[in-house]
Amino acid sequence: MNDWIEIGRLEQVPLRGARCVNTPAGKIAVFRTAENQVYAIENRCPHKGGPLSEGIVHGGSVTCPLHNWVFDLATGEAQGADEGQVRTFAVNVVDGRIFMAAEVMLMAAE
Amino acid sequence: MKEKLVIIGNGMAPGRALEKLFETDPDRYDVVIFNAEPRVNYDRIMLSPVLSGEKSFDDIVIHGDAWYIKHGITLYKGCKVETIDRVNKTVTSANGITESYDKLVIATGSVPFIIPVPGVNLAGVVTYRDLDDVNVMMLAAKAKGRAVVIGGGLLGLEAAAGLNEQGMDVTVVHVMPTLMERQLDPAAGYLLGESMKARGIKVMTSANTKQILGDKRVTGVEFADGSVIPADLVVMAVGIRPNVALAKTAELAANRGIVVDAQMRTSDPSIYALGECVEVNGATFGLVAPLYDMANVLAAQLCGDEKATFTPVATATRLKVTGVNLYSAGDFAEGDDREEIVLRDASAGVYKRLILKDDRIIGTVLYGDTGDGPWFYDMLKRNVDTREMRDTLIFGQNYQGGAPLDPTAAVAALPDEAEICGCNGVCKSKITGTITAKGLTSLDDVRAHTKASASCGSCTGLVEKLLLLTLGDSYNPAAVQPMCKCTDLGHDDVRRLIIAKELRSIPQLMQELEWKTSCGCAKCRPALNYYMIATWPGEYEDDGQSRFINERVHANIQKDGTYSVVPRMWGGMTSPNELRAIADVADKFKIPAVKVTGGQRIDLLGVKKEDLPGVWADLNAAGMVSGAAYAKGLRTVKTCVGSDWCRFGTQDSTGLGIKLEKFMWGSWTPAKVKMAVSGCPRNCAEATCKDVGVICVDSGYDIVFAGAAGLDIKGTEPLCHVDTETDAIEVIAALTQLYREQGRYLERMYKWLKRVGMESIQASIVRDLTKRRFYYDRFVFSQKFAQVDPWEERVNGKDAHEFAALAEFGVPQAAE
Ligand code: SRM
Ligand SMILES: Cc1cc2nc3c(=O)[nH]c(=O)nc-3n(C[C@H](O)[C@H](O)[C@H](O)COP(=O)(O)OP(=O)(O)OC[C@H]3O[C@@H](n4cnc5c(N)ncnc54)[C@H](O)[C@@H]3O)c2cc1C
Ligand code: SF4
Ligand code: FES
């Protein structure tokens, strides 16, 4: 339950940027905001599958690179007039090391 | 016969009283005004923006000469009244003009207080009260020397910020331990001091001035502890004293100020006084809001309405220094009968404090985030019981139940009596009522009819929201479209301010220009990144995270998340070697599609992101660089075969195209730039639908520009004809540079032309050879830093994180 897997160090993710974690079931995008908050969401835009990790990160949101939908990184919800949601995953940053809940990998594998 | 009204002093207070008077009873008086200052009535509050260079004197005039003519007023400019003869009811000026009066109004304002230390009469010591003072300061600032501002109150800090903007090395010297102690508590005073320091202004507190040093001109300031700081200019801004000298000679009752009752009457029944020169119930006044209340009372009195009386209310203060948000109102001293609520957010530089007595707000100090100031102030004035909302009060209006309001809804929720414009005491219902009654449609209309937002301007945002609320969609806010939701500034203002304020990074810009979001959005960040690159070539460090993915990884993202790679083929020319390398790369990386583009080169489609560096390495090895098919920058230069092969070719169009592409590749532009060179008017390179095209003719080169054939089909416009290839290249580079400096982000060349007009472009690029050269040189300079192949950089390791996963799980590992 409380198993966390280390996925990398904070500084490996660019500020206001993202990197992907590849899992058997697909990519999870790990974001780092200007304020050093870290979020993980599914790397697939509910609109037409855009890779969200490639979007521009601003405040606590990301803008999809394909057609500019904006998602709240904490809730995964689309902002503004667009409707949709991406899955979010628990992450934990301790001492500059980023951990993701191990169950995420299991879930993803289902 | 009309009665005769004489006014001494032509400041903001009597100006307002006259407006009111003319509204109510325009024909009652013949009006004569004496003004010691040689000018019309202007907005004294706005001297600080004049000093900092944000406004000109013309911008702050309240009543131009025409207004005096229209109302039949005799205005004696530069005439100081020296005597009042109360027996014969006349006044006489220093230069000998005498006028008789039925009613007299004294509005002599204040005089700056000068601390009595040696050296105050030296050249280079000025006060801060009128336009002459500002002119002296601006002149002194030209030499960019050192300025010492004595006084850390409102005036002193505005003077310091203005002089700092003008390039002087400024020190503020304040006798108290923290700045603006009369309006701010120590915590806010401290934050203010830090923000002054952050803009390069030195701040010395608890500093007691002993004397001003110098022989004829000031050279420095010495303090009680013996320390000395050098100075070329000293601004004395330690306070004001009501200007009572004239009233005292006329033997009118006066203490600190001229004594008047609540009807603005002095001890002589024919004489009134108002403004900063008066004293009501022992109190004097130094901000315009109460003076305007006095003006309303005086106007009523002059029209025979004796019921109107003046009651002072707490006033709110704001500091007019761009980038500093500060608001204070009421009483904020601590006391046993008082409670306070404090909120601090150090990282955001926010400090808020409310002082309550019997559950009612009696004072507030806000620093950093002042949005709720008017709401608190309104409750203060209406004596609202806040017990119910006590827990969330400090978080402001948005948090009072329900979901947070958006800013417009928050304004909609304000009560009708809420004061919107503090300077002019205009409440919400007065603004919305006037908009409806008079059919107003613009901010200027509202300013003209209600005065709201016409003085210091800090309520402009609120007034615009009221316009929006009242008029709905029919409100068309000024011609300036904000860049995005993060700011009210338009693209042109932002570009101008980047240069004027020397903003050199995006965070600095967002701070200085008061961005409303913490780090912008996907609309403004790419634009700002471009403006920085274009303004500070070689200095500004590109911010990849503010670029769209295509420009960040130098390939075009496709609908399935793969990329396309387009190498340059200079002028559309290629070779067997290049074609072989492309074929090999396509095989090696199993690239599914190879296509000839519409831009005379080859597109490799469906490349996996992690393969990009490998693909580029192989293409680089064959001498190819990025074709920038993704860039807001130079794309292709199409050519036809020209005089090398074609029987109609007049010039070497292929050669010129290659030269242009080799000279101009790598440059970033507001939107993409495509070019073409055709060898004759048959125009096989389709030059007449490109951003810049050249049609070769026998006598030289016809240069055309501002075409497009995408969303809009636009044939080009002729720019000019030149005789030589060298001239053609110079014109095209200069034109591109002008566009780089003026174009708004994403505004393609044809839209830019439509906005600025052919005349202004030809004036710079065709008719004035010095200007053309100037733009050309700047293009050349910026190219020194731009022509680095982004592929090669990444092959050598730049941004490696882009092309590899952070971690892999459960993906089958290769056997060891
Ligand atoms: C590859 C190419 C089509 C082809 O297979 O031939 C192409 C492909 C794309 N064009 Fe184009 N355009 C291509 C030539 C053109 C041309 C013809 C030309 O350049 O002579 C035009 C009309 C001329 C013009 O620009 O006015 C053209 C007008 C557009 C437009 C409309 C621009 C406009 O201002 O109206 C867009 C949309 C945009 O830029 O916002 C666009 C956008 C695109 C994008 C970048 C769409 C996108 O954002 O993903 C496509 C990228 C595909 C890719 O990954 O390569 N493409 N596009 C051509 C590449 C030329 C090159 O070698 O660089
Ligand atoms: C730089 C600066 C910034 C300010 N910022 C703010 C602000 O943000 N908010 C705010 O509320 N207030 C501000 N104030 C204060 C505000 O400007 C004054 O309260 C207001 O202008 C006073 O108006 P008044 O009509 O009483 O006097 P004044 O505007 O001072 O006018 C008096 C006029 O009378 C003339 N005069 C004097 N004696 C004679 C004579 N004997 N004969 C003929 N003419 C004479 C003077 O030359 C002067 O022109 C600021 C003031 C300054 C200087
Ligand atoms: S025409 Fe449309 S679909 Fe075809 S390449 Fe251009 S943008 Fe893509
Ligand atoms: S795929 Fe994300 S906005 Fe269209």
Side-chain angles (χ1 to χ4, degrees):
Chain A
M1 174 72 192
N2 284 333
D3 260 4
W4 295 91
I5 299 183
E6 177 163 358
I7 55 173
R9 300 193 59 84
L10 188 61
E11 70 270 11
Q12 292 176 304
V13 184
L15 264 184
R16 295 174 296 152
R19 305 251 332 245
C20 282
V21 174
N22 292 343
T23 74
K27 291 186 175 184
I28 295 177
V30 178
F31 289 86
R32 177 178 171 202
T33 69
E35 265 111 45
N36 273 316
Q37 280 152 331
V38 176
Y39 299 100
I41 64 176
E42 194 182 357
N43 189 37
R44 224 190 109 75
C45 176
H47 177 221
K48 293 196 172 170
L52 293 170
S53 58
E54 317 281 35
I56 287 186
V57 181
H58 45 97
S61 317
V62 63
T63 296
C64 177
L66 293 196
H67 318 96
N68 297 329
W69 284 28
V70 180
F71 295 89
D72 184 309
L73 294 171
T75 65
E77 265 175 60
Q79 307 288 291
D82 300 316
E83 279 176 28
Q85 187 160 29
V86 279
R87 280 170 71 186
T88 59
F89 303 101
V91 276
N92 205 347
V93 182
V94 180
D95 218 11
R97 295 157 67 191
I98 310 174
F99 297 87
M100 189 176 283
E103 57 178 0
V104 169
M105 308 298 162
L106 298 174
M107 262 165 30
E110 272 160 21
Chain B
M1 243 258 333
K2 281 193 192 179
E3 284 177 88
K4 191 155 166 207
L5 175 65
V6 173
I7 300 177
I8 306 175
N10 193 33
M12 297 176 73
R16 173 55 59 87
L18 284 176
E19 280 176 17
K20 285 277 156 189
L21 176 66
F22 293 139
E23 261 174 39
T24 332
D25 202 347
D27 300 319
R28 181 154 182 156
Y29 293 99
D30 272 329
V31 181
V32 175
I33 307 177
F34 286 88
N35 196 26
E37 269 187 79
R39 49 187 71 94
V40 291
N41 179 24
Y42 62 95
D43 195 341
R44 196 174 301 283
I45 295 182
M46 297 308 269
L47 285 174
S48 296
V50 173
L51 177 62
S52 68
E54 286 165 51
K55 289 208 154 65
S56 71
F57 178 69
D58 284 343
D59 294 331
I60 69 165
V61 166
I62 297 178
H63 297 140
D65 285 304
W67 186 84
Y68 296 91
I69 294 167
K70 177 175 160 208
H71 293 286
I73 300 170
T74 309
L75 170 63
Y76 293 114
K77 298 180 192 170
C79 290
K80 182 173 180 185
V81 171
E82 285 212 314
T83 46
I84 304 175
D85 179 344
R86 287 166 52 194
V87 180
N88 296 310
K89 289 197 166 182
T90 61
V91 301
T92 304
S93 69
N95 53 351
I97 299 170
T98 300
E99 290 274 358
S100 63
Y101 63 83
D102 295 309
K103 297 245 167 67
L104 178 67
V105 173
I106 305 180
T108 46
S110 303
V111 282
F113 183 67
I114 305 213
I115 45 172
V117 292
V120 292
N121 292 324
L122 291 170
V125 180
V126 291
T127 54
Y128 189 17
R129 181 72 198 168
D130 58 24
L131 184 70
D132 299 316
D133 296 331
V134 171
N135 285 340
V136 171
M137 285 191 247
M138 287 177 80
L139 200 65
K142 285 220 161 69
K144 310 260 182 246
R146 285 157 303 198
V148 171
V149 176
I150 303 181
L154 188 99
L155 285 189
L157 294 177
E158 291 190 5
L163 292 169
N164 184 51
E165 288 290 314
Q166 297 286 353
M168 291 195 88
D169 174 1
V170 183
T171 307
V172 174
V173 173
H174 193 47
V175 68
M176 301 301 284
T178 56
L179 298 174
M180 282 184 76
E181 77 290 343
R182 288 186 354 154
Q183 293 87 5
L184 298 183
D185 57 9
Y190 165 79
L191 285 172
L192 176 59
E194 290 306 296
S195 102
M196 287 289 143
K197 287 177 197 163
R199 56 183 70 204
I201 298 172
K202 290 175 224 102
V203 177
M204 290 172 59
T205 47
S206 306
N208 211 337
T209 307
K210 186 169 151 204
Q211 61 172 321
I212 297 172
L213 307 171
D215 182 8
K216 282 201 185 72
R217 276 202 68 84
V218 44
T219 57
V221 178
E222 186 184 334
F223 299 95
D225 65 3
S227 60
V228 170
I229 50 176
D232 309 297
L233 174 74
V234 170
V235 181
M236 186 78 76
V238 292
I240 51 171
R241 290 281 175 273
N243 185 1
V244 293
L246 179 65
K248 280 197 169 154
T249 11
E251 295 181 336
L252 292 168
N255 303 320
R256 215 144 58 90
I258 305 169
V259 176
V260 294
D261 60 13
Q263 273 110 9
M264 302 291 112
R265 290 180 301 212
T266 66
S267 53
D268 178 327
S270 310
I271 304 182
Y272 295 85
L274 87 165
E276 283 189 342
C277 59
V278 305
E279 177 179 319
V280 186
N281 271 333
T284 56
F285 303 84
L287 293 171
V288 290
L291 308 188
Y292 281 172
D293 288 344
M294 292 181 194
N296 292 344
V297 174
L298 175 67
Q301 295 294 330
L302 290 173
C303 298
D305 169 8
E306 296 195 350
K307 290 191 304 295
T309 53
F310 169 72
T311 13
V313 288
T315 44
T317 315
R318 285 175 190 269
L319 185 68
K320 299 183 301 301
V321 172
T322 311
V324 176
N325 285 321
L326 181 159
Y327 189 96
S328 92
D331 178 358
F332 50 84
E334 287 173 35
D336 286 347
D337 56 341
R338 296 163 176 209
E339 295 172 88
E340 57 174 357
I341 312 177
V342 176
L343 175 92
R344 285 175 202 273
D345 180 346
S347 62
V350 169
Y351 169 83
K352 302 183 179 185
R353 179 158 166 248
L354 284 174
I355 300 87
L356 304 175
K357 190 173 164 185
D358 303 329
D359 295 314
R360 285 162 170 85
I361 299 174
I362 59 166
T364 178
V365 180
L366 305 176
Y367 188 92
D369 173 3
T370 55
D372 284 307
W375 186 61
F376 292 140
Y377 180 47
D378 178 59
M379 289 199 285
L380 180 154
K381 284 200 305 187
R382 291 190 300 127
N383 209 18
V384 172
D385 187 337
T386 61
R387 218 169 325 159
E388 297 281 283
M389 42 184 154
R390 175 66 193 258
D391 289 346
T392 53
L393 186 60
I394 192 83
F395 300 116
Q397 192 175 18
N398 276 351
Y399 288 82
Q400 306 314 317
L405 297 172
D406 74 52
T408 312
V411 175
L414 285 176
D416 274 355
E417 321 76 65
E419 181 172 87
I420 302 293
C421 173
C423 296
N424 295 298
V426 188
C427 69
K428 179 179 160 186
S429 60
K430 163 97 192 195
I431 299 175
T432 51
T434 317
I435 294 173
T436 319
K438 301 247 160 95
L440 311 184
T441 57
S442 71
L443 184 62
D444 281 341
D445 285 352
V446 174
R447 285 182 176 149
H449 285 92
T450 69
K451 300 287 177 241
S453 142
S455 294
C456 84
S458 56
C459 63
T460 304
L462 290 175
V463 174
E464 288 193 302
K465 292 199 182 72
L466 287 176
L467 272 160
L468 188 66
L469 283 169
T470 318
L471 299 176
D473 288 343
S474 67
Y475 173 54
N476 174 15
V480 181
Q481 272 282 72
M483 275 180 75
C484 63
K485 291 192 303 300
C486 308
T487 178
D488 294 329
L489 295 168
H491 285 265
D492 300 338
D493 283 328
V494 169
R495 294 207 83 168
R496 179 176 55 76
L497 289 165
I498 287 175
I499 298 169
K501 292 176 166 282
E502 299 198 24
L503 305 175
R504 287 169 196 273
S505 73
I506 294 179
Q508 184 195 8
L509 177 144
M510 290 185 172
Q511 185 61 33
E512 289 282 329
L513 304 185
E514 300 184 24
W515 237 241
K516 297 182 208 165
T517 49
S518 65
C519 70
C521 71
K523 266 192 179 167
C524 58
R525 283 236 308 276
L528 296 178
N529 192 53
Y530 167 68
Y531 294 153
M532 288 287 164
I533 289 183
T535 314
W536 312 116
E539 268 180 71
Y540 174 71
E541 197 179 327
D542 193 10
D543 177 26
Q545 301 308 131
S546 295
R547 285 185 178 277
F548 292 113
I549 183 67
N550 286 358
E551 289 188 350
R552 195 157 80 228
V553 299
H554 297 276
N556 297 58
I557 195 167
Q558 305 292 311
K559 63 181 203 173
D560 60 355
T562 63
Y563 287 82
S564 78
V565 168
V566 185
R568 274 201 191 280
M569 285 180 176
W570 309 101
M573 292 292 283
T574 183
S575 67
N577 264 338
E578 286 184 353
L579 294 171
R580 238 186 309 271
I582 289 173
D584 288 345
V585 145
D587 279 345
K588 179 168 164 190
F589 293 93
K590 304 200 172 52
I591 295 172
V594 181
K595 181 180 182 302
V596 174
T597 73
Q600 295 188 341
R601 45 203 194 159
I602 291 176
D603 197 351
L604 297 157
L605 292 140
V607 183
K608 290 198 223 51
K609 196 180 182 195
E610 52 276 22
D611 288 344
L612 286 171
V615 168
W616 296 334
D618 288 1
L619 294 173
N620 275 170
M624 283 180 271
V625 299
S626 168
Y630 45 79
K632 308 295 173 228
L634 182 75
R635 297 270 180 101
T636 55
V637 183
K638 281 172 71 164
T639 67
C640 71
V641 286
S643 59
D644 266 2
W645 299 95
C646 179
R647 62 202 165 108
F648 297 114
T650 59
Q651 311 279 355
D652 179 10
S653 52
T654 324
L656 176 55
I658 294 173
K659 279 184 197 145
L660 279 170
E661 191 167 354
K662 292 214 156 164
F663 175 47
M664 299 186 66
W665 74 274
S667 70
W668 297 106
T669 42
K672 59 185 165 190
V673 171
K674 297 175 175 180
M675 301 191 184
V677 186
S678 287
C680 82
R682 289 170 191 75
N683 191 19
C684 298
E686 300 165 323
T688 47
C689 64
K690 296 289 175 275
D691 297 280
V692 183
V694 181
I695 316 273
C696 302
V697 287
D698 260 338
S699 60
Y701 306 81
D702 285 340
I703 301 177
V704 296
F705 78 118
L711 301 162
D712 289 312
I713 301 207
K714 272 273 299 120
T716 47
E717 306 282 337
L719 178 69
C720 63
H721 172 94
V722 293
D723 298 339
T724 66
E725 222 181 53
T726 321
D727 283 351
I729 293 174
E730 180 171 311
V731 166
I732 291 170
L735 174 72
T736 308
Q737 181 64 17
L738 187 69
Y739 168 58
R740 296 181 75 227
E741 293 181 19
Q742 293 184 347
R744 297 176 184 160
Y745 190 63
L746 299 187
E747 179 178 60
R748 226 170 144 185
M749 222 180 236
Y750 69 94
K751 295 184 181 155
W752 164 65
L753 165 66
K754 194 167 159 211
R755 176 165 63 83
V756 303
M758 180 64 88
E759 176 53 35
S760 86
I761 295 176
Q762 282 184 334
S764 301
I765 303 301
V766 181
R767 288 200 291 280
D768 184 337
L769 295 187
T770 328
K771 271 204 185 145
R772 176 200 295 178
R773 194 71 208 178
F774 168 81
Y775 286 108
Y776 173 81
D777 287 345
R778 282 151 69 103
F779 183 80
V780 171
F781 177 74
S782 110
Q783 281 300 79
K784 285 209 293 201
F785 313 98
Q787 290 194 323
V788 182
D789 178 35
W791 289 355
E792 191 186 340
E793 282 185 299
R794 279 155 190 78
V795 168
N796 291 326
K798 183 170 179 183
D799 290 348
H801 62 82
E802 283 285 359
F803 309 102
L806 179 62
E808 308 261 357
F809 291 101
V811 182
Q813 305 281 315
E816 266 161 52

